[in-house]
Amino acid sequence: MRILAPATVPAFLLLASAAPVPAPQHSPAPQDHTADVDPFVGVDGGGVAGGNTVPGAGVPFGFVSLSPDTTNGDTNGYDSHSPILGFSYTHVSGTGGSAKYGNFRVTPISGPLRVAHLHYDREGEAASPGYYRVGLASAESGTTQVELTASRLAGFQRFTFPAGAPAHVVLDASSVIAMRGSGQRTRKAHVRLIDDHSMAGWTEVEGGWNPVPYKLYFYATFDRPARAFGAWKAKQGAMETLPGAVTAEGGTQTKAPADRQGLMIEYDSRMEFANRLGTYFTFDPAQGRDVRMKLAVSFLSEDKARANLAAELPDWDFDAAAARAKTQWNAALSKIAVTGGSEEQRRIFYTALYRAHTMPHDLTGENAWWQSSEPHYEDFYTLWDTFRTVHPLLTLIQPDRQRAMIRSLIDTYRHTGWMPDARIAGGNGMTQGGSNGDVVIADAVVKGLGGFDVELAYQALKKNAEVESDAPFLQGRVLQDYKALGYVSITQPRSASRTLEYAYDDFAIGAVASQLGKAEEAKRYRARAGNWRNLWDDRIGCIRPRYPDGTWLENYRCTYEYPDRSTPWWEAPFYEGNALQFSTYVPHDVAGLIAKTGGDRGFVTWLDRLFDGHYSQGNEPDLLAPFLYIHAGRPDRTVEIVRDLMGKHYRLSRTGLPGNDDAGAMSSWYVWNAMGLYPNAGQPYYYIGAPIFETSRIALERGRFFTIRATGTSPENRYVTAARLNGKAIDRAWIRHAELAAGGTLELEMGSAPRGWATRFTAPPDGYRR
């Protein structure tokens, strides 16, 4: 077993840097960056404008995401316009497709007890990292104030009811985010009333994104005894109180009957959206308007949920719990300090940095699927999105988190047989394109992240490349055509985009092999990385699907958008895009792409065509495309396009993202570009763009800092006219990872017009040993 030590940088990368290594620098005084975050940015979805982000309370990479659910919510359970149903404890942020989670929805009720038609207009909605507040307005009984905060595995609610009216708290143990009746369905739910202030239970759910079923437990408690409590079931809105309900007269009833073993309803698959099961607790308004509730979850057991609650929320001090969550967020946000730019740009930046810390979810200690002492993360939703921007960012600013996530991916391979491209709620899948865990591993290896078993990781990558998947919809690759023909034929779903992704995945595998000294295997995978050329049609200038006999797909053009109405979503030759967009996805062989399009000038013209109405900032396939101009000696075009995209698609608004945030992928894109850097994931360098901030200071490991200083940057002064790295002039629009990781300063002189800087491209390191 070979384990690299943390922050071990390969020697060939260190030797590539001619600049001296600066001494560690003192950290600046801490600031409250949570004040710069707007959790409502991008909450509204719908694809083109809005990100499906979650506005509620959580902590960095915490599983509990305590947030409002609305009647017309999307995969995040939420939208800004429809009434609020209640507040569930689990969500995914920024995703498309089908929803997941939305478990254990809690709704406070003022007035008569009911479980149907629980939807409220909102008043005074506000949020900050780790905290959410809203008033639920009722014409009959007034407004109930709701406040939320959370820890990693538990949530805390504080309700302030209107004076005089009966106060109830209803929990729906069977709740899920169903998205207007599609996706998830609850198979079974169970509740157990323990006494007049506590309860426990579980839910079993299937469907949604990745149909693998999961079982989740809860334990909940209130800060004071209820006057009455019980369980209920409902069908088609009709509520039935289950036997054994308790009413406390004068506060004397404090415990449920001894023979109560729990109340359970099993769902028939033909009526999964009709049956519901839950509990209610009724409180005496004469004893105070405030009611506090805490609930913890576990994938292991009710007892583990109870232990999680005791460990994470040990007392009833709501404000202290919210302060702890805020402290965790400030620790994460302080990894990058910026100055300059506008107030709006700074707030967009820190909101984007906040979103980069939401997923995957840290479920270490909650692994219900196999026995392991390794860190455990779920809800990689999906690496197809996040390998490009999120994971390279975490390598810099959260290296221990990134190591833990990689160890979790390797451990998943050890116990399931595959390293997932996506995983959620205990199941691998669904696979959108390639085996993109390959790129995540390669990015960490060629950058010397260390701290994980590289040999075992390589075994996982090699299996992706060599073994036909037993379930390609969930894991691995379809390889029969790819290995025999050099491309995936159109007889397979997503054939063209898979070919492109497999080619780069092979390049990444070869880089890992090279670092391990496996020269022949590295050579073989690097050769396979040229398979993208087998689908290039010189006559039309883009990737074109082919049949097994080598003939081209007929009636074809480069800008045809997939999916269309004649082709199911997963069956199209390109996944969520057109050929022109995907044709830019050759991150390892831009020189080959330039040769295919007629040299530097022809390549620039070819890229200009993409950006003349065919590029999509709202999805991932062509996110790297603006930076490919740099390879043709045109960093000025990169700057023009990126600045335009930032201004057009990122705003301080509820639709302020270009599309689904995809677990922070789109937000991380902004973080990188606001600082003036951008990764080519899987390779040990970063492109230099055009910072919008005068300084961006990145906190690295071992007390080091890297500062990007852009003198005079402004909307007008957007072009880099000269650059110095640690005082030494450089004439290249990229820097090595080793140069950044060593700490230091990149000084960029900015001007209103390009002046010839970096117009002669020199190739950056690609991660292979020479």
Side-chain angles (χ1 to χ4, degrees), residues 300-436:
L300 295 170
S301 67
E302 292 177 6
D303 288 342
K304 185 60 165 58
R306 186 170 188 167
N308 291 339
L309 187 61
E312 296 189 4
L313 295 174
D315 56 43
W316 288 105
D317 192 334
F318 179 92
D319 294 330
R324 289 193 297 271
K326 179 178 179 179
T327 297
Q328 291 185 53
W329 279 114
N330 266 323
L333 298 171
S334 66
K335 295 293 184 179
I336 305 175
V338 300
T339 64
S342 66
E343 179 184 358
E344 180 181 27
Q345 288 171 330
R346 289 192 299 273
R347 293 191 65 198
I348 293 172
F349 176 83
Y350 280 108
T351 301
L353 186 57
Y354 165 74
R355 292 296 178 199
H357 288 77
T358 54
M359 291 170 68
H361 294 140
D362 184 358
L363 281 164
T364 301
E366 284 291 323
N367 190 342
W369 301 279
W370 58 81
Q371 291 289 325
S372 176
S373 60
E374 284 294 276
H376 191 77
Y377 284 75
E378 288 286 335
D379 309 337
F380 292 91
Y381 194 126
T382 68
L383 293 178
W384 186 83
D385 304 303
T386 58
F387 85 85
R388 308 164 200 261
T389 55
V390 175
H391 288 285
L393 182 63
L394 298 180
T395 292
L396 287 185
I397 65 173
Q398 299 285 357
D400 285 338
R401 284 280 187 186
Q402 181 67 1
R403 291 183 187 106
M405 292 173 188
I406 288 174
R407 287 172 63 187
S408 179
L409 288 170
I410 296 170
D411 198 46
T412 301
Y413 160 71
R414 182 188 287 116
H415 291 278
T416 71
W418 295 95
M419 178 173 288
D421 181 63
R423 182 176 173 86
I424 188 165
N428 290 351
M430 294 174 306
T431 299
Q432 294 173 274
S435 50
N436 292 300

Side-chain angles (χ1 to χ4, degrees), residues 670-709:
Y670 187 93
V671 171
W672 281 110
N673 284 290
M675 296 190 295
L677 299 174
Y678 195 78
N680 189 341
Q683 300 181 58
Y685 68 91
Y686 307 91
Y687 295 106
I688 298 174
I692 62 174
F693 300 119
E694 291 191 359
T695 63
S696 301
R697 194 170 193 241
I698 307 170
L700 306 169
E701 286 194 295
R702 294 176 289 176
R704 293 175 175 171
F705 294 87
F706 188 81
T707 301
I708 303 107
R709 182 171 293 119

Side-chain angles (χ1 to χ4, degrees), residues 452-630:
F452 60 92
D453 189 337
V454 180
E455 288 280 5
L456 185 57
Y458 181 67
Q459 290 179 27
L461 272 54
K462 193 171 178 179
K463 181 174 182 179
N464 285 337
E466 301 296 344
V467 178
E468 186 80 20
S469 173
D470 56 346
F473 193 61
L474 301 178
Q475 55 204 9
R477 305 191 199 175
V478 291
L479 289 171
Q480 183 175 349
D481 282 355
Y482 184 74
K483 294 173 75 172
L485 305 173
Y487 61 90
V488 180
S489 77
I490 201 167
T491 59
Q492 293 290 337
R494 311 184 299 286
S495 61
S497 54
R498 272 175 159 167
T499 299
L500 287 162
E501 294 193 35
Y502 290 0
Y504 188 53
D505 294 338
D506 284 344
F507 178 88
I509 295 169
V512 176
S514 177
Q515 289 300 305
L516 290 172
K518 303 176 188 293
E520 288 304 311
E521 294 185 23
K523 181 179 179 181
R524 183 162 62 89
Y525 287 120
R526 183 159 195 158
R528 272 177 43 167
N531 281 346
W532 69 272
R533 297 167 180 263
N534 297 329
L535 290 186
W536 184 271
D537 187 343
D538 287 318
R539 292 169 295 176
I540 60 175
C542 69
I543 295 293
R544 185 174 184 176
R546 303 179 85 159
Y547 292 97
D549 64 2
T551 57
W552 299 106
L553 176 65
E554 54 278 278
N555 301 320
Y556 184 79
R557 66 179 187 272
C558 299
T559 56
Y560 189 81
E561 291 287 340
Y562 293 99
D564 59 19
R565 292 186 178 182
S566 66
T567 310
W569 193 278
W570 292 87
E571 302 298 317
F574 292 93
Y575 182 73
E576 296 184 349
N578 61 47
L580 196 57
Q581 293 166 358
F582 269 99
S583 295
T584 66
Y585 188 67
V586 191
H588 56 300
D589 192 11
V590 184
L593 196 57
I594 290 173
K596 284 287 188 183
T597 52
D600 287 349
R601 288 189 178 182
F603 183 61
V604 169
T605 300
W606 183 79
L607 280 177
D608 285 346
R609 180 189 177 197
L610 171 70
F611 289 101
D612 186 20
H614 301 294
Y615 173 83
S616 172
Q617 183 61 26
N619 210 355
E620 283 76 14
D622 53 354
L623 286 185
L624 192 67
F627 304 92
L628 302 187
Y629 284 104
I630 290 171

Side-chain angles (χ1 to χ4, degrees), residues 168-253:
H168 316 278
V169 177
V170 169
L171 178 138
D172 187 343
S174 54
S175 69
V176 292
I177 296 168
M179 292 181 64
R180 294 171 292 279
S182 66
Q184 296 187 96
R185 55 193 175 274
T186 303
R187 301 198 307 184
K188 299 178 183 178
H190 178 88
V191 293
R192 183 166 59 93
L193 296 166
I194 299 170
D195 53 33
D196 59 5
H197 63 279
S198 55
M199 58 181 161
W202 49 260
T203 184
E204 287 186 4
V205 180
E206 63 184 2
W209 180 272
N210 180 338
V212 175
Y214 66 91
K215 186 174 185 177
L216 188 64
Y217 300 87
F218 77 91
Y219 173 83
T221 184
F222 293 92
D223 67 332
R224 61 179 168 125
R227 183 176 67 182
F229 61 100
W232 55 267
K233 65 179 180 179
K235 182 176 181 180
Q236 302 294 346
M239 175 183 172
E240 176 187 350
T241 301
L242 296 177
V246 176
T247 300
E249 298 296 339
T252 59
Q253 176 66 60

